[in-house]
Amino acid sequence: MTDEHFMQQALGEARKALDKGEVPIGAVVVQNGLIIGRGHNQVEMLTDCTAHAEMIALTAAFNYMGAKYLPDATLYVTLEPCVMCAGALYWSKIGRIVYAAADEKNGYRRVTGDKTPFHPKTKVESGIRGEESLQLVKAFFAARRK
Amino acid sequence: MTDEHFMQQALGEARKALDKGEVPIGAVVVQNGLIIGRGHNQVEMLTDCTAHAEMIALTAAFNYMGAKYLPDATLYVTLEPCVMCAGALYWSKIGRIVYAAADEKNGYRRVTGDKTPFHPKTKVESGIRGEESLQLVKAFFAARRK
């Protein structure tokens, strides 16, 4: 299974959010080729601004594994994590983070700058299917402005 | 009701965590003199490293208020919030944050430095019952080393 495949799965989660009127962001957590957690943004449905795709996918993965650290897992998410989600990923000691598109407004780098907020062993990559992710977000906000 | 009173309530939450073998950190969210959310660290019980006192107290407050922002509320927490909790507090647009003791190791300032991670309107104070909070944390780690 490739990064492309799992990012498609994360984009599928983002589309579920879009269908429910939520900002379309999705995430999956993968270990040994298996999806061990999924999540999409549920801020509106839960009336809880902490219900981000990454938080939900991480909690699902902790539950599935019965573990509170995920050093051998990869998180795929359609948009650069915010500061909160970056902090959660730090605690998780996750092995790898792959995000599709940068988020200039709310991405963690806006606050943390050159300092990585993640565990020293966590690898970070970006750019896979970034355009597709941004199109979803743009479609959402264009529809809201109508 | 004073800040002292509500920090005592947060310390009471921290003691609940201690009794359960969790790192003793507690939080309450207050609006108009009423506690609208409570939480204590449940990382071990839930096997979820995102189950911090502040996250649980915030989600409880969102549920109680049926609102996803808390501009008129104050969060009292016994230790300086970590990056994750600081990010959650940013999203909540909470009016005021009061923490008892600084956390040199995992507090948000370690990563954010001089940049505030909070909403521009959020006020931050610290130092109320800080010594009491640190004593709880020290007692926990001393017991673990035995």
Side-chain angles (χ1 to χ4, degrees):
Chain A
M1 298 286 197
T2 63
D3 285 345
E4 283 275 335
H5 170 79
F6 290 118
M7 191 58 82
Q8 280 289 14
Q9 293 286 315
L11 285 161
E13 287 296 315
R15 274 180 216 105
K16 287 184 198 170
L18 188 66
D19 290 346
K20 295 173 186 170
E22 304 271 2
V23 178
I25 304 171
V28 295
V29 180
V30 174
Q31 186 161 322
N32 295 331
L34 195 72
I35 293 177
I36 60 172
R38 294 176 168 274
H40 56 270
N41 185 17
Q42 296 191 316
V43 165
E44 301 302 329
M45 197 186 76
L46 299 177
T47 323
D48 183 342
C49 63
T50 71
H52 285 196
E54 299 95 315
M55 302 298 288
I56 293 164
L58 279 176
T59 292
F62 296 134
N63 286 343
Y64 183 88
M65 300 296 287
K68 62 180 174 171
Y69 302 125
L70 301 167
D72 300 317
T74 299
L75 175 98
Y76 294 86
V77 59
T78 58
L79 205 63
E80 180 185 338
C82 74
V83 171
M84 171 182 71
C85 293
L89 288 160
Y90 163 76
W91 289 115
S92 78
K93 301 183 181 175
I94 199 153
R96 189 165 164 250
I97 299 164
V98 184
Y99 62 87
D103 182 350
E104 305 300 339
K105 193 175 168 214
N106 286 310
Y108 68 89
R109 293 175 303 162
R110 183 185 57 89
V111 171
T112 65
D114 292 336
K115 277 191 208 173
T116 174
F118 304 117
H119 190 270
K121 288 192 179 166
T122 301
K123 291 177 192 136
V124 183
E125 285 159 68
S126 63
I128 293 171
R129 299 216 165 250
E131 197 47 48
E132 206 169 328
S133 166
L134 288 180
Q135 285 305 325
L136 275 173
V137 174
K138 280 177 194 163
F140 172 82
F141 286 106
R144 291 243 299 201
R145 277 193 296 271
K146 270 179 194 168
Chain B
M1 299 286 198
T2 63
D3 286 344
E4 282 274 335
H5 170 80
F6 290 118
M7 191 58 83
Q8 280 289 15
Q9 293 287 313
L11 284 162
E13 287 295 316
R15 273 180 217 107
K16 287 184 198 170
L18 188 67
D19 289 346
K20 295 173 185 170
E22 305 271 1
V23 178
I25 303 171
V28 295
V29 180
V30 174
Q31 186 160 323
N32 295 331
L34 196 72
I35 293 177
I36 60 172
R38 293 176 169 273
H40 56 270
N41 186 15
Q42 296 191 315
V43 164
E44 301 302 328
M45 197 185 79
L46 299 176
T47 323
D48 183 341
C49 63
T50 70
H52 286 196
E54 300 94 315
M55 302 298 288
I56 293 164
L58 279 175
T59 292
F62 296 136
N63 286 344
Y64 182 88
M65 301 296 287
K68 63 180 174 172
Y69 302 124
L70 301 168
D72 300 317
T74 298
L75 175 98
Y76 295 86
V77 59
T78 58
L79 205 63
E80 180 185 338
C82 74
V83 172
M84 171 182 71
C85 294
L89 288 160
Y90 163 76
W91 288 116
S92 77
K93 301 184 183 175
I94 199 153
R96 188 166 166 249
I97 299 164
V98 184
Y99 62 88
D103 182 350
E104 304 299 339
K105 192 173 169 213
N106 287 311
Y108 67 89
R109 292 174 304 162
R110 184 185 56 90
V111 171
T112 65
D114 291 338
K115 278 191 206 173
T116 175
F118 305 117
H119 190 271
K121 288 192 180 168
T122 300
K123 291 178 193 134
V124 183
E125 285 159 68
S126 63
I128 293 171
R129 297 214 167 249
E131 198 47 47
E132 206 170 329
S133 166
L134 288 180
Q135 285 305 327
L136 275 173
V137 174
K138 279 176 196 164
F140 173 80
F141 285 106
R144 290 243 300 202
R145 276 192 298 270
K146 272 181 194 165

